Amino acid sequence: MQVGPRIRIPMLLAAALLAGCASAPRYPAGRALVDGVTPKFPTPPQSLRAELELTAFGGGRKSSVNAVFSCAPLSAYKLDLFGLPGMVAGGFLWKQDKWDLVIFDREEYVEGEGEHVEIGNLGLREISVHDMFSWMWGDYFPGDSARETGPPPGWGRGADGRIGYRAREAFWQVELDPKTGLPCAAERADSAFRIEFSAWRAGAGAAAKERPVPRKVRLYRYREPVLEIKVKSVEDDPNWRREPFSIKIPKGFRRVERIRE
């Protein structure tokens, strides 16, 4: 059967669009690192909002929950956890080096100080709260995220193309895709933590091309998966209808040392 020109052209356009959607974005700063050139990292947004799906692993089981993440990079983080549709099951707020974690159905809360936070039994207390989320605003180099975007001074490029650098608490290596410059994984030399990035898409806002966002991130502790984060949507510098960085602990809730499963 022959296809007429009026039909063939739309089919070719559709195929081109599908091919474009399937191609991975590029990370120019990562490509510069691969080539051994001093990179120019994109400017992070002042704030962002993302809809997430969080899956926790432990004891041979896994559990998932939907969440909304609000962020002012390095300054404030708010995570709203949802149970039944429209019902907030828990909330986490880190702001000005203090944090609160509230579980509403248990009527319990935990509070603390510093950038090291234990959320449940995930074993993530040793990693900075900044490093858990910094990839959302374009910092794919954990270990010293509170300083600036990109690896600390003194980074080096190995023969295998990995970028190595010494952060505040350990030596890290970041594996970059040589074609796209996209980070594949970041790992501490002692294997205490590993972060894998995948399902890349263009980012949001003015720096969309310079700052792609992974839509699937998995955190490992001693090579065992502990948390997977799927990004459903992300928005740079949203127009907040109300102040997002606050959390109210209801009267009568019990303060505990740790939220357990």
Side-chain angles (χ1 to χ4, degrees), residues 16-214:
L17 287 172
L18 289 173
C21 293
S23 61
R26 292 180 177 272
Y27 179 41
R31 281 290 305 130
L33 287 170
V34 171
D35 294 337
V37 178
T38 301
K40 179 182 179 182
F41 292 99
T43 302
Q46 295 294 313
S47 63
L48 64 82
R49 180 184 185 276
E51 295 183 359
L52 311 174
E53 179 184 316
L54 308 178
T55 300
F57 302 87
R61 298 181 294 114
K62 65 179 183 178
S63 58
S64 299
V65 64
N66 291 322
V68 170
F69 177 66
S70 304
C71 161
L74 307 181
S75 299
Y77 311 118
K78 175 71 180 301
L79 196 62
D80 292 306
L81 308 173
F82 295 91
L84 296 174
M87 294 185 63
V88 179
F92 169 75
L93 174 68
W94 185 94
K95 185 178 181 181
Q96 297 176 346
D97 222 26
K98 295 183 179 181
W99 57 270
D100 295 283
L101 174 63
V102 184
I103 303 298
F104 291 101
D105 59 350
R106 298 185 185 180
E107 299 187 354
E108 294 179 342
Y109 71 96
V110 183
E111 59 184 10
E113 297 182 358
E115 63 183 76
H116 295 274
V117 180
E118 181 61 270
I119 301 177
N121 297 323
L122 296 178
L124 294 175
R125 186 177 182 85
E126 294 175 26
I127 193 170
S128 167
V129 66
H130 304 297
D131 293 330
M132 286 184 63
F133 302 113
S134 63
W135 47 271
M136 286 194 194
W137 63 79
D139 186 350
Y140 315 116
F141 302 89
D144 204 4
S145 293
R147 187 185 57 83
E148 61 182 19
T149 299
W155 61 270
R157 183 167 60 97
D160 56 0
R162 298 190 179 200
I163 303 302
Y165 57 94
R166 178 158 297 281
R168 289 178 299 173
E169 298 168 351
F171 188 84
W172 285 81
Q173 285 190 323
V174 175
E175 179 185 347
L176 301 171
D177 184 294
K179 293 183 179 180
T180 63
L182 293 170
C184 302
E187 185 171 17
R188 259 174 55 161
D190 60 2
S191 300
F193 293 103
R194 176 179 172 87
I195 306 174
E196 294 183 351
F197 310 102
S198 61
W200 289 88
R201 294 185 190 176
K209 292 183 179 180
E210 290 76 21
R211 198 196 97 228
V213 177

